[in-house]
Amino acid sequence: DNLRIRFDIIYTKYDLGVKMKFLLSSKKKDKKVLKVILINKGNKDVRFLPEKKKLFVKTGKTAEDLRLAGGNIAKILENENFKAIEIQTKKGLKYLIEGLILRSYKFIKYKSDAKKFPVKTVYLQTLKGVQEAKIIAESTNFVKEIVNSIPNDVYPKTMAKIAKKLAKDNNLEFSSLNMKQLIKEGMSAFVAVGRASVNPPMLVKIAYRPKKAKKKILLIGKGLTYDSGGLSLKPASYMETMKSDKSGASAVLGILKAVSELKLNVEVVGYLGLAENLVSGNSYKPDDILIAKNGKTIEVRNTDAEGRLVLADTLVYAQDDEVEFDYIFDIATLTGAAIVAVGQYTTLAMGHNNKLKQKILKAGDKSGELVATLPFNQYLRKTIDSRIADISNTGSSRYGGSLTAGLFLSEFIAKKNQNKWIHLDIAGPAYIESDWGYHQFGGSGASVRMITKFIQDLEK
Protein backbone atom coordinates (compact mmCIF):
# COMPACT_ATOMS: atom_id res chain seq x y z
CA ASP A 1 0.00 0.00 0.00
CA ASN A 2 2.82 2.41 0.84
CA LEU A 3 4.48 1.57 -2.47
CA ARG A 4 1.25 2.26 -4.34
CA ILE A 5 0.84 5.63 -2.62
CA ARG A 6 4.41 6.53 -3.61
CA PHE A 7 3.66 5.78 -7.24
CA ASP A 8 0.46 7.81 -7.04
CA ILE A 9 2.65 10.78 -6.17
CA ILE A 10 5.29 10.10 -8.83
CA TYR A 11 2.93 10.00 -11.78
CA THR A 12 1.88 13.62 -11.35
CA LYS A 13 5.44 14.91 -11.83
CA TYR A 14 5.64 15.23 -15.61
CA ASP A 15 8.84 17.02 -16.58
CA LEU A 16 9.29 16.65 -20.31
CA GLY A 17 12.63 18.45 -20.26
CA VAL A 18 11.36 21.00 -22.80
CA LYS A 19 10.48 24.44 -21.47
CA MET A 20 11.54 26.75 -24.28
CA LYS A 21 10.96 30.47 -24.62
CA PHE A 22 10.33 31.71 -28.13
CA LEU A 23 11.51 35.29 -28.55
CA LEU A 24 11.16 37.52 -31.60
CA SER A 25 14.60 38.87 -32.47
CA SER A 26 15.87 39.34 -36.02
CA LYS A 27 19.08 41.09 -34.92
CA LYS A 28 20.38 39.04 -32.03
CA LYS A 29 23.98 40.08 -31.32
CA ASP A 30 24.74 37.92 -28.29
CA LYS A 31 27.85 35.85 -29.01
CA LYS A 32 26.71 33.12 -26.61
CA VAL A 33 23.77 32.28 -28.84
CA LEU A 34 24.24 29.51 -31.40
CA LYS A 35 23.14 30.57 -34.89
CA VAL A 36 21.15 27.90 -36.75
CA ILE A 37 21.31 28.45 -40.51
CA LEU A 38 19.22 26.47 -43.01
CA ILE A 39 20.83 25.57 -46.34
CA ASN A 40 19.56 23.68 -49.37
CA LYS A 41 22.95 22.69 -50.78
CA GLY A 42 25.83 20.53 -49.64
CA ASN A 43 26.63 16.86 -49.19
CA LYS A 44 25.86 16.63 -45.48
CA ASP A 45 22.57 17.12 -43.63
CA VAL A 46 24.35 18.85 -40.74
CA ARG A 47 27.55 20.86 -40.41
CA PHE A 48 28.30 21.92 -36.86
CA LEU A 49 30.95 24.56 -36.07
CA PRO A 50 30.73 24.98 -32.28
CA GLU A 51 33.81 27.20 -32.08
CA LYS A 52 32.11 29.67 -34.45
CA LYS A 53 28.71 29.29 -32.77
CA LYS A 54 27.12 28.13 -36.02
CA LEU A 55 25.06 25.10 -37.02
CA PHE A 56 24.25 24.58 -40.70
CA VAL A 57 21.30 22.28 -41.38
CA LYS A 58 20.38 21.07 -44.85
CA THR A 59 16.66 20.86 -45.63
CA GLY A 60 14.23 20.48 -48.47
CA LYS A 61 11.11 22.52 -49.11
CA THR A 62 8.29 20.31 -47.82
CA ALA A 63 6.75 20.54 -44.34
CA GLU A 64 8.15 17.13 -43.47
CA ASP A 65 11.64 18.13 -44.67
CA LEU A 66 11.49 21.05 -42.25
CA ARG A 67 10.28 18.87 -39.37
CA LEU A 68 13.18 16.50 -40.02
CA ALA A 69 15.56 19.47 -40.07
CA GLY A 70 14.20 20.56 -36.70
CA GLY A 71 14.78 17.05 -35.44
CA ASN A 72 18.37 17.16 -36.69
CA ILE A 73 18.95 20.42 -34.81
CA ALA A 74 17.69 18.89 -31.56
CA LYS A 75 19.67 15.70 -32.07
CA ILE A 76 22.91 17.68 -32.38
CA LEU A 77 22.19 20.01 -29.48
CA GLU A 78 21.00 17.43 -26.94
CA ASN A 79 24.64 16.60 -26.13
CA GLU A 80 25.94 20.20 -26.25
CA ASN A 81 25.81 23.00 -23.69
CA PHE A 82 24.16 25.80 -25.66
CA LYS A 83 21.37 27.39 -23.63
CA ALA A 84 20.01 29.55 -26.46
CA ILE A 85 19.80 29.35 -30.24
CA GLU A 86 18.80 31.77 -32.99
CA ILE A 87 17.06 30.25 -36.02
CA GLN A 88 17.74 32.40 -39.05
CA THR A 89 14.75 31.74 -41.27
CA LYS A 90 11.11 32.76 -41.63
CA LYS A 91 9.76 30.27 -44.14
CA GLY A 92 8.17 27.11 -42.75
CA LEU A 93 9.29 27.98 -39.25
CA LYS A 94 6.35 26.31 -37.54
CA TYR A 95 7.28 22.93 -39.03
CA LEU A 96 10.90 23.37 -38.00
CA ILE A 97 9.84 24.19 -34.44
CA GLU A 98 7.50 21.20 -34.38
CA GLY A 99 10.35 18.84 -35.30
CA LEU A 100 12.67 20.56 -32.83
CA ILE A 101 10.29 20.15 -29.88
CA LEU A 102 9.36 16.57 -30.81
CA ARG A 103 13.00 15.50 -30.97
CA SER A 104 14.05 17.44 -27.87
CA TYR A 105 11.74 15.33 -25.70
CA LYS A 106 13.69 13.15 -23.28
CA PHE A 107 12.18 10.42 -21.12
CA ILE A 108 14.06 10.97 -17.85
CA LYS A 109 11.36 10.13 -15.33
CA TYR A 110 13.25 7.21 -13.78
CA LYS A 111 16.85 8.37 -14.36
CA SER A 112 18.75 9.49 -11.27
CA ASP A 113 21.46 11.28 -13.25
CA ALA A 114 19.58 12.37 -16.37
CA LYS A 115 20.38 15.60 -18.19
CA LYS A 116 17.56 17.71 -19.53
CA PHE A 117 17.58 19.12 -23.03
CA PRO A 118 19.95 22.10 -22.63
CA VAL A 119 18.34 24.74 -24.88
CA LYS A 120 16.01 27.02 -22.91
CA THR A 121 15.54 29.94 -25.30
CA VAL A 122 14.94 30.09 -29.05
CA TYR A 123 15.23 33.41 -30.89
CA LEU A 124 13.09 33.62 -34.02
CA GLN A 125 12.58 36.04 -36.90
CA THR A 126 8.80 35.53 -36.81
CA LEU A 127 6.31 34.00 -34.40
CA LYS A 128 3.77 33.15 -37.12
CA GLY A 129 2.46 29.62 -36.55
CA VAL A 130 4.92 28.93 -33.75
CA GLN A 131 2.34 28.75 -30.95
CA GLU A 132 0.29 26.23 -32.93
CA ALA A 133 3.39 24.09 -33.55
CA LYS A 134 4.36 24.31 -29.88
CA ILE A 135 0.92 23.18 -28.67
CA ILE A 136 0.73 20.25 -31.08
CA ALA A 137 4.30 19.08 -30.40
CA GLU A 138 3.99 19.41 -26.63
CA SER A 139 0.66 17.54 -26.68
CA THR A 140 2.40 14.75 -28.58
CA ASN A 141 5.24 14.72 -26.04
CA PHE A 142 2.66 14.62 -23.24
CA VAL A 143 1.39 11.36 -24.74
CA LYS A 144 4.93 9.96 -25.05
CA GLU A 145 5.44 10.52 -21.33
CA ILE A 146 2.30 8.55 -20.42
CA VAL A 147 3.04 5.71 -22.86
CA ASN A 148 6.64 5.38 -21.67
CA SER A 149 5.64 5.27 -18.00
CA ILE A 150 5.80 1.88 -16.35
CA PRO A 151 2.78 -0.30 -15.44
CA ASN A 152 3.30 -0.08 -11.67
CA ASP A 153 3.10 3.69 -12.12
CA VAL A 154 0.27 4.03 -14.65
CA TYR A 155 -2.65 1.62 -14.17
CA PRO A 156 -6.39 2.31 -14.63
CA LYS A 157 -6.86 4.37 -11.47
CA THR A 158 -3.77 6.53 -11.91
CA MET A 159 -4.39 7.01 -15.63
CA ALA A 160 -7.85 8.25 -14.73
CA LYS A 161 -6.14 10.73 -12.38
CA ILE A 162 -3.93 11.93 -15.23
CA ALA A 163 -7.07 12.51 -17.30
CA LYS A 164 -8.74 14.30 -14.40
CA LYS A 165 -5.76 16.61 -13.94
CA LEU A 166 -5.76 17.42 -17.67
CA ALA A 167 -9.48 18.19 -17.45
CA LYS A 168 -8.90 20.52 -14.50
CA ASP A 169 -5.95 22.28 -16.13
CA ASN A 170 -7.70 22.75 -19.51
CA ASN A 171 -11.27 23.36 -18.28
CA LEU A 172 -12.64 20.10 -19.71
CA GLU A 173 -15.52 17.91 -18.53
CA PHE A 174 -14.53 14.74 -16.68
CA SER A 175 -16.40 11.67 -15.44
CA SER A 176 -15.61 8.01 -14.89
CA LEU A 177 -17.18 4.59 -14.28
CA ASN A 178 -15.74 2.08 -11.85
CA MET A 179 -16.01 -1.70 -12.12
CA LYS A 180 -19.40 -1.90 -10.37
CA GLN A 181 -20.80 0.75 -12.69
CA LEU A 182 -19.38 -1.03 -15.75
CA ILE A 183 -21.16 -4.21 -14.66
CA LYS A 184 -24.37 -2.26 -14.12
CA GLU A 185 -24.03 -0.83 -17.66
CA GLY A 186 -23.89 -4.37 -19.06
CA MET A 187 -20.30 -4.06 -20.27
CA SER A 188 -19.28 -7.63 -19.49
CA ALA A 189 -16.75 -7.93 -22.33
CA PHE A 190 -14.84 -4.93 -20.96
CA VAL A 191 -15.10 -6.19 -17.37
CA ALA A 192 -13.91 -9.70 -18.28
CA VAL A 193 -10.61 -8.37 -19.62
CA GLY A 194 -9.77 -6.48 -16.43
CA ARG A 195 -11.22 -8.67 -13.71
CA ALA A 196 -8.05 -10.73 -13.04
CA SER A 197 -6.05 -7.66 -11.97
CA VAL A 198 -5.87 -6.12 -8.50
CA ASN A 199 -6.27 -2.82 -10.38
CA PRO A 200 -9.90 -2.91 -11.53
CA PRO A 201 -10.96 -1.59 -14.96
CA MET A 202 -12.34 1.92 -15.43
CA LEU A 203 -13.98 3.94 -18.18
CA VAL A 204 -13.07 7.62 -18.37
CA LYS A 205 -14.96 10.30 -20.28
CA ILE A 206 -13.33 13.66 -20.98
CA ALA A 207 -14.94 16.32 -23.16
CA TYR A 208 -14.12 19.64 -24.80
CA ARG A 209 -17.30 21.57 -25.65
CA PRO A 210 -16.82 25.00 -27.27
CA LYS A 211 -19.95 27.17 -27.40
CA LYS A 212 -20.04 27.49 -31.20
CA ALA A 213 -18.90 24.05 -32.31
CA LYS A 214 -19.13 23.42 -36.05
CA LYS A 215 -18.82 19.63 -35.76
CA LYS A 216 -18.70 16.93 -33.11
CA ILE A 217 -16.29 14.00 -32.94
CA LEU A 218 -16.12 11.04 -30.55
CA LEU A 219 -12.73 9.48 -29.82
CA ILE A 220 -12.42 6.05 -28.23
CA GLY A 221 -9.01 4.94 -26.98
CA LYS A 222 -7.76 1.50 -26.06
CA GLY A 223 -6.13 1.83 -22.65
CA LEU A 224 -4.61 -1.52 -21.72
CA THR A 225 -2.18 -0.20 -19.13
CA TYR A 226 -0.55 -3.62 -19.30
CA ASP A 227 -1.27 -6.70 -21.37
CA SER A 228 0.20 -10.08 -20.45
CA GLY A 229 -2.10 -11.84 -22.90
CA GLY A 230 -4.15 -13.34 -20.09
CA LEU A 231 -4.44 -17.13 -20.08
CA SER A 232 -3.37 -17.07 -23.75
CA LEU A 233 -0.07 -15.88 -22.31
CA LYS A 234 2.37 -13.91 -24.46
CA PRO A 235 5.99 -15.12 -24.80
CA ALA A 236 8.26 -13.33 -22.32
CA SER A 237 9.97 -11.20 -24.99
CA TYR A 238 6.57 -9.98 -26.25
CA MET A 239 5.68 -8.63 -22.81
CA GLU A 240 8.63 -6.25 -22.55
CA THR A 241 6.90 -3.31 -24.28
CA MET A 242 3.31 -3.94 -23.23
CA LYS A 243 3.21 -0.75 -21.20
CA SER A 244 2.64 0.73 -24.68
CA ASP A 245 -0.76 -0.94 -25.02
CA LYS A 246 -2.30 2.19 -23.49
CA SER A 247 -1.15 4.28 -26.49
CA GLY A 248 -4.65 4.71 -27.94
CA ALA A 249 -6.17 6.08 -24.75
CA SER A 250 -3.08 8.23 -24.19
CA ALA A 251 -3.47 9.65 -27.71
CA VAL A 252 -7.07 10.63 -26.96
CA LEU A 253 -5.80 12.67 -24.00
CA GLY A 254 -3.14 14.29 -26.18
CA ILE A 255 -5.70 15.24 -28.83
CA LEU A 256 -7.99 16.79 -26.22
CA LYS A 257 -5.04 18.72 -24.79
CA ALA A 258 -4.19 20.05 -28.26
CA VAL A 259 -7.70 21.01 -29.42
CA SER A 260 -8.56 22.71 -26.12
CA GLU A 261 -5.34 24.76 -26.11
CA LEU A 262 -5.77 25.64 -29.80
CA LYS A 263 -9.37 26.64 -28.92
CA LEU A 264 -10.78 24.90 -31.99
CA ASN A 265 -14.51 25.25 -32.70
CA VAL A 266 -15.11 21.51 -32.82
CA GLU A 267 -16.64 19.51 -29.97
CA VAL A 268 -14.46 16.53 -28.99
CA VAL A 269 -15.56 13.84 -26.53
CA GLY A 270 -13.03 11.20 -25.52
CA TYR A 271 -13.64 7.79 -23.95
CA LEU A 272 -10.79 5.79 -22.42
CA GLY A 273 -11.25 2.06 -21.91
CA LEU A 274 -8.76 1.32 -19.11
CA ALA A 275 -7.85 -2.19 -17.95
CA GLU A 276 -5.00 -4.58 -17.18
CA ASN A 277 -5.09 -8.00 -18.86
CA LEU A 278 -3.44 -10.26 -16.31
CA VAL A 279 -3.67 -13.82 -14.97
CA SER A 280 -5.37 -15.07 -11.80
CA GLY A 281 -7.97 -17.57 -10.70
CA ASN A 282 -10.52 -15.02 -11.88
CA SER A 283 -9.17 -14.72 -15.44
CA TYR A 284 -11.55 -14.95 -18.35
CA LYS A 285 -10.89 -18.01 -20.47
CA PRO A 286 -10.83 -19.29 -24.04
CA ASP A 287 -14.26 -20.93 -24.56
CA ASP A 288 -16.01 -18.27 -22.46
CA ILE A 289 -18.96 -16.46 -24.02
CA LEU A 290 -19.33 -12.80 -23.10
CA ILE A 291 -22.35 -10.56 -23.60
CA ALA A 292 -21.47 -7.08 -24.86
CA LYS A 293 -23.42 -3.94 -23.98
CA ASN A 294 -25.39 -4.08 -27.26
CA GLY A 295 -26.49 -7.66 -26.51
CA LYS A 296 -24.15 -9.43 -28.96
CA THR A 297 -22.60 -12.62 -27.64
CA ILE A 298 -18.86 -13.10 -28.15
CA GLU A 299 -17.03 -16.43 -28.15
CA VAL A 300 -13.55 -16.03 -26.68
CA ARG A 301 -11.01 -17.97 -28.70
CA ASN A 302 -7.97 -16.08 -27.48
CA THR A 303 -7.65 -13.93 -24.35
CA ASP A 304 -4.83 -11.98 -26.00
CA ALA A 305 -7.38 -10.50 -28.42
CA GLU A 306 -8.57 -8.39 -25.51
CA GLY A 307 -8.37 -4.84 -26.83
CA ARG A 308 -11.26 -5.37 -29.20
CA LEU A 309 -13.41 -6.57 -26.27
CA VAL A 310 -12.72 -3.38 -24.31
CA LEU A 311 -13.30 -1.26 -27.42
CA ALA A 312 -16.52 -3.09 -28.33
CA ASP A 313 -18.26 -2.13 -25.10
CA THR A 314 -16.73 1.35 -25.04
CA LEU A 315 -17.87 2.03 -28.61
CA VAL A 316 -21.44 1.02 -27.76
CA TYR A 317 -21.40 3.07 -24.57
CA ALA A 318 -20.12 6.16 -26.41
CA GLN A 319 -22.83 5.93 -29.09
CA ASP A 320 -25.52 5.57 -26.44
CA ASP A 321 -24.05 8.33 -24.31
CA GLU A 322 -23.59 10.98 -27.02
CA VAL A 323 -26.36 10.14 -29.50
CA GLU A 324 -25.73 12.96 -31.99
CA PHE A 325 -22.27 13.37 -33.52
CA ASP A 326 -20.54 13.70 -36.88
CA TYR A 327 -17.62 11.30 -36.54
CA ILE A 328 -16.54 8.43 -34.29
CA PHE A 329 -12.93 7.18 -34.33
CA ASP A 330 -11.29 4.49 -32.25
CA ILE A 331 -7.52 4.50 -31.73
CA ALA A 332 -5.77 1.32 -30.63
CA THR A 333 -2.57 -0.70 -30.64
CA LEU A 334 -4.71 -3.58 -31.80
CA THR A 335 -2.89 -6.11 -34.00
CA GLY A 336 0.59 -7.28 -34.86
CA ALA A 337 -0.90 -8.05 -38.27
CA ALA A 338 -1.05 -4.30 -38.96
CA ILE A 339 2.74 -4.13 -38.57
CA VAL A 340 3.16 -7.07 -40.93
CA ALA A 341 0.89 -5.36 -43.46
CA VAL A 342 2.30 -1.82 -43.51
CA GLY A 343 5.42 -1.75 -41.34
CA GLN A 344 6.29 -0.25 -37.98
CA TYR A 345 6.01 3.42 -38.97
CA THR A 346 2.51 3.47 -40.43
CA THR A 347 -1.00 3.70 -38.96
CA LEU A 348 -3.59 1.46 -40.60
CA ALA A 349 -7.00 3.09 -41.14
CA MET A 350 -10.16 1.06 -41.77
CA GLY A 351 -13.84 1.80 -42.20
CA HIS A 352 -16.81 1.66 -44.54
CA ASN A 353 -16.68 5.25 -45.81
CA ASN A 354 -14.02 5.66 -48.51
CA LYS A 355 -14.37 9.44 -48.60
CA LEU A 356 -13.75 9.62 -44.86
CA LYS A 357 -10.71 7.36 -45.20
CA GLN A 358 -9.34 9.73 -47.84
CA LYS A 359 -9.77 12.64 -45.42
CA ILE A 360 -7.74 10.71 -42.84
CA LEU A 361 -5.02 10.04 -45.42
CA LYS A 362 -4.95 13.74 -46.22
CA ALA A 363 -4.73 14.69 -42.54
CA GLY A 364 -1.90 12.20 -42.09
CA ASP A 365 0.02 13.68 -45.01
CA LYS A 366 -0.43 17.24 -43.73
CA SER A 367 0.59 16.35 -40.19
CA GLY A 368 3.64 14.24 -41.03
CA GLU A 369 2.13 10.92 -39.91
CA LEU A 370 2.22 7.94 -42.25
CA VAL A 371 -1.19 6.34 -42.83
CA ALA A 372 -2.40 3.52 -45.09
CA THR A 373 -5.84 1.97 -45.65
CA LEU A 374 -7.03 -1.57 -46.29
CA PRO A 375 -10.51 -2.46 -47.59
CA PHE A 376 -13.01 -4.58 -45.70
CA ASN A 377 -14.52 -7.53 -47.58
CA GLN A 378 -17.38 -9.94 -47.04
CA TYR A 379 -15.23 -13.05 -47.22
CA LEU A 380 -12.99 -12.12 -44.31
CA ARG A 381 -16.07 -11.27 -42.25
CA LYS A 382 -17.07 -14.97 -42.35
CA THR A 383 -13.88 -15.93 -40.52
CA ILE A 384 -15.10 -14.35 -37.28
CA ASP A 385 -18.40 -16.25 -37.32
CA SER A 386 -18.96 -18.48 -34.30
CA ARG A 387 -20.92 -21.74 -34.12
CA ILE A 388 -21.96 -21.11 -30.53
CA ALA A 389 -22.23 -17.30 -30.29
CA ASP A 390 -22.97 -14.28 -32.46
CA ILE A 391 -19.30 -13.60 -33.17
CA SER A 392 -15.80 -14.74 -32.25
CA ASN A 393 -13.06 -12.46 -30.95
CA THR A 394 -10.50 -13.87 -33.42
CA GLY A 395 -10.64 -15.13 -36.99
CA SER A 396 -10.57 -18.81 -37.94
CA SER A 397 -7.66 -18.01 -40.30
CA ARG A 398 -4.35 -16.41 -39.40
CA TYR A 399 -4.51 -14.24 -42.51
CA GLY A 400 -5.90 -10.69 -42.58
CA GLY A 401 -5.77 -10.31 -38.82
CA SER A 402 -5.88 -6.51 -38.78
CA LEU A 403 -8.93 -6.51 -41.06
CA THR A 404 -10.81 -9.16 -39.08
CA ALA A 405 -10.16 -7.10 -35.92
CA GLY A 406 -11.62 -4.06 -37.66
CA LEU A 407 -14.58 -6.07 -38.89
CA PHE A 408 -15.15 -7.29 -35.34
CA LEU A 409 -15.32 -3.68 -34.12
CA SER A 410 -17.70 -2.81 -36.95
CA GLU A 411 -20.26 -5.13 -35.31
CA PHE A 412 -20.45 -2.65 -32.44
CA ILE A 413 -21.05 0.42 -34.59
CA ALA A 414 -24.77 1.15 -35.08
CA LYS A 415 -25.92 1.03 -38.71
CA LYS A 416 -26.71 4.75 -38.72
CA ASN A 417 -23.11 5.46 -37.65
CA GLN A 418 -21.22 3.13 -40.01
CA ASN A 419 -20.24 5.92 -42.40
CA LYS A 420 -19.10 8.13 -39.51
CA TRP A 421 -16.62 5.58 -38.16
CA ILE A 422 -12.90 5.03 -38.66
CA HIS A 423 -10.76 2.44 -36.89
CA LEU A 424 -7.09 3.41 -36.48
CA ASP A 425 -4.68 0.58 -35.69
CA ILE A 426 -1.51 2.24 -34.36
CA ALA A 427 0.26 -0.99 -33.33
CA GLY A 428 3.22 -0.13 -35.55
CA PRO A 429 4.09 3.53 -34.93
CA ALA A 430 2.86 3.93 -31.33
CA TYR A 431 6.03 2.49 -29.80
CA ILE A 432 9.34 2.04 -31.63
CA GLU A 433 12.47 0.43 -30.24
CA SER A 434 14.93 2.65 -32.12
CA ASP A 435 15.14 6.33 -33.07
CA TRP A 436 13.46 7.31 -36.36
CA GLY A 437 13.02 10.68 -38.00
CA TYR A 438 12.36 13.20 -35.24
CA HIS A 439 11.12 10.49 -32.85
CA GLN A 440 13.11 8.78 -30.11
CA PHE A 441 13.04 5.25 -28.76
CA GLY A 442 9.70 4.57 -27.07
CA GLY A 443 6.30 6.16 -27.44
CA SER A 444 5.75 8.41 -30.45
CA GLY A 445 2.35 9.96 -29.68
CA ALA A 446 0.96 8.40 -32.86
CA SER A 447 -2.32 9.90 -34.18
CA VAL A 448 -2.20 13.07 -32.04
CA ARG A 449 -0.92 15.30 -34.84
CA MET A 450 -3.01 13.56 -37.51
CA ILE A 451 -6.36 13.74 -35.70
CA THR A 452 -5.65 17.28 -34.53
CA LYS A 453 -5.09 18.25 -38.17
CA PHE A 454 -8.31 16.45 -39.15
CA ILE A 455 -10.17 18.45 -36.50
CA GLN A 456 -8.53 21.70 -37.61
CA ASP A 457 -9.75 21.04 -41.15
CA LEU A 458 -13.32 20.62 -39.85
CA GLU A 459 -13.28 24.30 -38.90
CA LYS A 460 -12.85 25.35 -42.54
Side-chain angles (χ1 to χ4, degrees):
D1 287 345
N2 289 335
L3 188 65
R4 176 56 49 77
I5 291 169
R6 184 169 68 86
F7 281 124
D8 283 353
I9 295 170
I10 289 174
Y11 90 91
T12 63
K13 296 180 180 178
Y14 284 94
D15 187 348
L16 306 185
V18 185
K19 294 180 180 178
M20 299 180 185
K21 293 180 181 179
F22 295 92
L23 303 178
L24 185 62
S25 175
S26 60
K27 296 181 180 180
K28 187 64 187 172
K29 301 289 186 180
D30 193 338
K31 293 181 179 180
K32 295 181 181 179
V33 175
L34 177 73
K35 291 184 178 181
V36 178
I37 304 162
L38 298 190
I39 56 174
N40 56 17
K41 296 180 180 179
N43 296 323
K44 294 183 179 180
D45 289 340
V46 176
R47 188 180 178 193
F48 186 33
L49 304 174
E51 70 283 358
K52 293 187 176 182
K53 307 291 191 298
K54 291 182 179 180
L55 173 61
F56 296 89
V57 180
K58 184 180 176 182
T59 183
K61 296 181 179 179
T62 70
E64 189 64 1
D65 287 337
L66 287 159
R67 291 188 191 99
L68 289 167
N72 281 334
I73 293 167
K75 191 173 182 180
I76 290 293
L77 295 181
E78 66 185 3
N79 296 316
E80 300 296 328
N81 293 317
F82 289 98
K83 304 297 182 184
I85 63 175
E86 179 188 356
I87 299 177
Q88 297 188 332
T89 185
K90 289 184 178 180
K91 293 182 179 180
L93 191 58
K94 72 174 184 178
Y95 305 116
L96 191 81
I97 292 299
E98 186 179 340
L100 173 65
I101 295 175
L102 288 170
R103 187 62 181 82
S104 60
Y105 166 82
K106 298 178 74 173
F107 184 59
I108 58 175
K109 190 174 180 180
Y110 306 111
K111 289 281 191 178
S112 57
D113 59 348
K115 294 181 179 179
K116 297 179 181 180
F117 188 72
V119 176
K120 303 298 181 186
T121 306
V122 181
Y123 293 94
L124 305 171
Q125 295 186 7
T126 178
L127 293 177
K128 185 178 180 180
V130 169
Q131 184 63 14
E132 175 189 333
K134 185 173 183 286
I135 288 171
I136 292 172
E138 289 183 346
S139 296
T140 305
N141 288 347
F142 171 75
V143 172
K144 293 178 188 178
E145 189 80 0
I146 302 171
V147 172
N148 289 333
S149 295
I150 58 177
N152 56 339
D153 182 351
V154 178
Y155 43 94
K157 183 179 178 181
T158 55
M159 191 156 179
K161 288 181 179 180
I162 293 169
K164 189 173 185 179
K165 184 177 186 302
L166 174 65
K168 182 180 179 181
D169 292 344
N170 287 37
N171 196 28
L172 306 174
E173 290 181 15
F174 174 89
S175 61
S176 63
L177 300 179
N178 60 28
M179 188 167 177
K180 287 183 179 179
Q181 291 167 317
L182 292 173
I183 293 170
K184 187 176 180 180
E185 288 285 342
M187 302 169 74
S188 68
F190 187 158
V191 170
V193 173
R195 73 188 188 201
S197 173
V198 295
N199 298 310
M202 292 184 69
L203 186 147
V204 163
K205 177 181 178 181
I206 181 168
Y208 167 68
R209 301 188 196 271
K211 292 180 179 179
K212 297 181 180 180
K214 293 184 177 181
K215 297 286 183 180
K216 182 175 179 178
I217 181 171
L218 306 187
L219 299 176
I220 286 77
K222 175 187 172 184
L224 266 292
T225 57
Y226 192 75
D227 177 24
S228 71
L231 291 178
S232 303
L233 197 67
K234 293 178 184 290
S237 61
Y238 282 41
M239 289 193 211
E240 290 174 4
T241 59
M242 281 300 102
K243 64 182 181 180
S244 67
D245 217 15
K246 59 184 180 291
S247 295
S250 302
V252 170
L253 292 180
I255 295 163
L256 277 153
K257 177 177 169 65
V259 298
S260 59
E261 292 175 10
L262 290 169
K263 296 180 170 56
L264 302 181
N265 288 320
V266 176
E267 188 172 346
V268 183
V269 186
Y271 296 84
L272 318 182
L274 307 175
E276 285 185 328
N277 186 23
L278 299 180
V279 179
S280 77
N282 197 33
S283 296
Y284 79 117
K285 301 168 284 294
D287 283 348
D288 276 351
I289 292 179
L290 309 173
I291 304 174
K293 182 172 172 58
N294 66 349
K296 284 187 183 289
T297 56
I298 305 168
E299 178 190 358
V300 178
R301 289 179 181 164
N302 189 323
T303 63
D304 197 22
E306 85 301 326
R308 66 200 69 183
L309 299 176
V310 171
L311 287 172
D313 272 341
T314 309
L315 282 164
V316 175
Y317 180 86
Q319 292 169 90
D320 290 347
D321 187 48
E322 298 279 341
V323 178
E324 297 297 328
F325 52 88
D326 297 287
Y327 302 99
I328 178 169
F329 298 164
D330 69 81
I331 308 170
T333 47
L334 206 62
T335 66
I339 306 172
V340 174
V342 295
Q344 70 268 42
Y345 307 113
T346 303
T347 293
L348 189 53
M350 287 165 268
H352 299 284
N353 186 334
N354 288 328
K355 288 184 179 180
L356 184 53
K357 285 192 285 185
Q358 288 302 313
K359 288 181 180 179
I360 288 293
L361 289 173
K362 187 176 180 180
D365 185 58
K366 286 183 178 179
S367 68
E369 294 200 42
L370 297 171
V371 193
T373 65
L374 287 179
F376 288 151
N377 69 72
Q378 60 184 322
Y379 305 107
L380 274 175
R381 170 60 186 81
K382 294 177 182 178
T383 68
I384 54 174
D385 284 341
S386 169
R387 292 185 176 183
I388 59 174
D390 295 330
I391 195 171
S392 170
N393 78 326
T394 60
S396 57
S397 167
R398 65 190 179 95
Y399 300 113
S402 55
L403 282 166
T404 54
L407 286 164
F408 176 91
L409 294 177
S410 178
E411 295 292 315
F412 301 90
I413 301 295
K415 284 186 178 180
K416 66 178 182 178
N417 296 327
Q418 290 279 319
N419 284 330
K420 301 176 182 179
W421 169 67
I422 289 288
H423 162 54
L424 297 170
D425 193 332
I426 59 171
Y431 192 92
I432 298 293
E433 296 186 64
S434 59
D435 290 3
W436 58 286
Y438 36 79
H439 297 292
Q440 312 86 338
F441 168 89
S444 71
S447 80
V448 172
R449 294 182 298 142
M450 175 177 63
I451 298 302
T452 300
K453 174 52 67 177
F454 177 88
I455 294 169
Q456 285 178 306
D457 286 348
L458 292 178
E459 283 195 309
K460 297 176 182 178

